[in-house]
Amino acid sequence: MRSPLARWSVLSVSLALALTACAKGTGGGAAPTQSPGQFNPGATFQGTISVMGFGATDEVGTTRVDKAKASLGGADVKLIEGDLDIQQFLSSVAAGDAPDIIYANRDQIGTFASRGAIVPLTACIQGEQIDTSMFNKNALAQVTFGNEIWGIPEFNQVQITMANAELLKEAGLTIADVNGSNWDKVTAAAKKLVKAPGGKLQVIGFDSKLPEFLPLWAKANGADLLSADGKTAQLNNPAVVKALEFAVGIYDAQGGFAKVKAVRDSADFFGKGNQFAKNELGAMPMEQWYVNVLNDVSPKAPLTFDTFRTPQGQPLAYSSGSAWAIPKGAKNAAAACRFAKTMTLVDSWKAAAQARLDKRNQEKKPFTGILTGNVKADEEIQKMLTPGGEPWDSGVKAFYEANQHTFSLPANPADAEFKKAWQDAVNRVLNGQDEPQAALDKAQQDAQAALDKAWAGWTKQTN
């Protein structure tokens, strides 16, 4: 299991290649017109709807799938489990054999929309009377493209600062030294915390989580990688360059990225032998779901938590996550719309949270919450939390606070190419092939060319 952010960084390359191969078959015009009358909240459905990219592998998933299935009034639900296979999905759309609904990363939605692989959900939302005000505004922005909503937000992810309290204490440090509020202190802390006897790295002092977290470091430094309208790349903005120089410099201060990555990759990330439990990591920013993992597998680990903070001391998190989308050519779009609606309703999330709470009570473990793309559901779930003592209560408090201070990158028709451009740039720097300025200058050219081409294609398609 890998985090969705890490998984999508790998899939972005596959998506770019797959879109190139399948563009002719999926981009042959604007999405078909739909009317709210096609979507009736009182309708019942028969047959089977196919769901690609979602596996109900835990009680949070199965509880909501059961409710969604019941809402269809008779239709069955077939889950095509595993991560969304982009090549398979695009090929199915091109062949006229698309699934009824897909579960995708939100920063895939703009590209899918621009290629004509999914349909706008305006009619679905109006017909099924979906209240979009309940969705996290940044999550909704990530699936809003060309003045239409193309996806229904589901889970949400944010980052917080996680650290080993014992290692901090030994080095005379506190969580405030590694939460991002002072970059000089973060660098100094990394140097104090790192342990590399004889040149062999044993303890990572601080992991800045590159390449995935460049948007977070850049935003903390006052810069966005992309303009608000999604049309202008800003990758070589001086503030972005400085953020990359800092985050890479953290690795350089510990012997280089290759050594850090080797230790990171060898860790039992999801097991009881994780880096915090084994005292092999000082601190890092990380998505909030890892708090639940750590509490489950290493409840005695010496952890401490805070929000990730800007140099001005303000909490900050990069909002990312998943969404439901309906493919072009879906044979049962109305049932798919009902499915997406029910999966993300407040009552569905509360039922899923109750199932998780019941399980945690049986295991005599605290319920540390679930972050969704539905702000009203989050408010209700937060009332259901059970105390776990420190440091877990502080961890939960940190990620709920972080969830109130988020940003996201706007949807655009070159999502995959844009992300590939900046991640490739970061990787060239990490691998010693380029300096930050040169790498981001090239990324700026590549990203802007991809954006210009994609936006021109979108304009031609919609006109």
Side-chain angles (χ1 to χ4, degrees):
M1 179 178 178
R2 288 175 291 171
S3 77
L5 265 181
R7 184 167 62 245
W8 172 232
S9 69
V10 175
L11 290 178
S12 62
V13 178
S14 302
L15 175 57
L17 295 173
L19 288 171
T20 301
C22 298
K24 185 176 180 181
T26 60
T33 301
Q34 296 176 325
S35 68
Q38 295 175 254
F39 303 92
N40 181 348
T44 58
F45 306 95
Q46 301 300 317
T48 300
I49 70 165
S50 54
V51 182
M52 180 179 282
F54 184 81
T57 57
D58 63 15
E59 64 282 355
V60 176
T62 55
T63 300
R64 291 181 300 123
V65 168
D66 288 346
K67 290 183 76 68
K69 183 178 178 180
S71 76
L72 298 176
D76 197 8
V77 175
K78 177 185 177 182
L79 300 179
I80 305 171
E81 297 187 8
D83 296 335
L84 180 66
D85 185 320
I86 296 166
Q87 182 69 57
Q88 180 185 359
F89 165 58
L90 293 174
S91 296
S92 71
V93 174
D97 189 29
D100 292 302
I101 191 168
I102 62 169
Y103 186 66
N105 194 292
R106 291 200 296 263
D107 59 9
Q108 296 171 324
I109 296 298
T111 300
F112 288 157
S114 71
R115 298 291 182 172
I118 59 176
V119 299
L121 300 182
T122 303
C124 158
I125 289 168
Q126 292 176 356
E128 278 285 350
Q129 301 173 12
I130 299 174
D131 178 12
T132 57
S133 69
M134 66 184 176
F135 296 122
N136 179 294
K137 64 179 182 180
N138 285 306
L140 196 62
Q142 281 188 302
V143 296
T144 302
F145 177 71
N147 297 318
E148 297 211 65
I149 296 172
W150 297 78
I152 302 297
E154 216 208 29
F155 284 105
N156 199 44
Q157 294 183 137
V158 297
Q159 305 78 33
I160 64 172
T161 302
M162 306 183 185
N164 183 303
E166 288 184 359
L167 294 180
L168 289 181
K169 185 177 180 180
E170 289 174 7
L173 302 169
T174 69
I175 190 70
D177 294 301
V178 293
N179 64 7
S181 58
N182 185 309
W183 287 9
D184 289 339
K185 286 186 176 181
V186 173
T187 301
K191 293 177 180 178
K192 287 184 178 180
L193 291 165
V194 67
K195 295 181 181 180
K200 181 177 175 58
L201 184 63
Q202 293 181 350
V203 178
I204 299 170
F206 186 92
D207 190 346
S208 50
K209 300 296 290 184
L210 292 181
E212 292 89 356
F213 285 6
L214 177 63
L216 182 64
W217 291 111
K219 186 68 171 181
N221 205 34
D224 291 300
L225 302 190
L226 184 64
S227 62
D229 62 5
K231 295 183 177 181
T232 305
Q234 300 172 158
L235 299 180
N236 61 352
N237 179 306
V240 179
V241 176
K242 183 178 179 181
L244 180 56
E245 289 173 342
F246 162 75
V248 172
I250 291 292
Y251 294 129
D252 292 341
Q254 302 175 88
F257 178 71
K259 291 185 178 181
V260 173
K261 186 175 186 299
V263 174
R264 178 206 287 178
D265 291 350
S266 66
D268 181 18
F269 195 75
F270 290 95
K272 61 182 180 181
N274 62 78
Q275 288 175 288
F276 286 122
K278 301 287 283 187
N279 292 330
E280 294 174 352
L281 174 62
M284 67 175 177
M286 185 61 194
E287 289 100 336
Q288 91 288 340
W289 52 263
Y290 198 47
V291 174
N292 298 335
V293 172
L294 293 171
N295 177 262
D296 195 42
V297 300
S298 52
K300 301 297 184 182
L303 283 148
T304 183
F305 302 98
D306 191 13
T307 57
F308 176 89
R309 296 182 182 271
T310 69
Q312 292 73 41
Q314 298 302 310
L316 180 69
Y318 174 40
S319 173
S320 64
S322 49
W324 296 103
I326 299 178
K328 179 180 179 180
K331 296 177 177 61
N332 208 340
C337 179
R338 175 76 58 75
F339 180 89
K341 170 187 175 180
T342 308
M343 288 291 286
T344 56
L345 285 174
V346 173
D347 286 347
S348 299
W349 281 118
K350 285 179 66 177
Q354 185 63 53
R356 171 65 57 84
L357 173 60
D358 292 343
K359 181 181 179 183
R360 299 296 282 181
N361 283 339
Q362 290 175 1
E363 297 172 341
K364 301 187 184 308
K365 295 178 179 178
F367 172 51
T368 53
I370 304 167
L371 278 191
T372 79
N374 185 321
V375 294
K376 294 182 180 179
D378 285 344
E379 290 172 358
E380 293 299 314
I381 293 171
Q382 195 170 2
K383 299 174 185 177
M384 302 167 66
L385 301 179
T386 55
E390 292 300 336
W392 309 109
D393 292 348
S394 292
V396 173
K397 179 182 177 182
F399 72 65
Y400 273 102
E401 182 179 4
N403 200 41
Q404 301 299 316
H405 298 85
T406 60
F407 74 98
S408 63
L409 297 182
N412 68 84
D415 275 334
E417 296 91 338
F418 180 78
K419 189 164 190 175
K420 184 177 184 300
W422 68 256
Q423 288 209 342
D424 282 355
V426 176
N427 283 324
R428 288 196 300 274
V429 177
L430 293 174
N431 295 333
Q433 298 169 278
D434 265 336
E435 292 297 319
Q437 183 71 62
L440 291 173
D441 283 343
K442 182 180 186 304
Q444 175 69 22
Q445 294 178 349
D446 294 344
Q448 193 59 56
L451 288 167
D452 290 344
K453 181 178 179 181
W455 277 109
W458 174 255
T459 300
K460 181 179 179 180
Q461 176 180 319
T462 54
N463 286 345

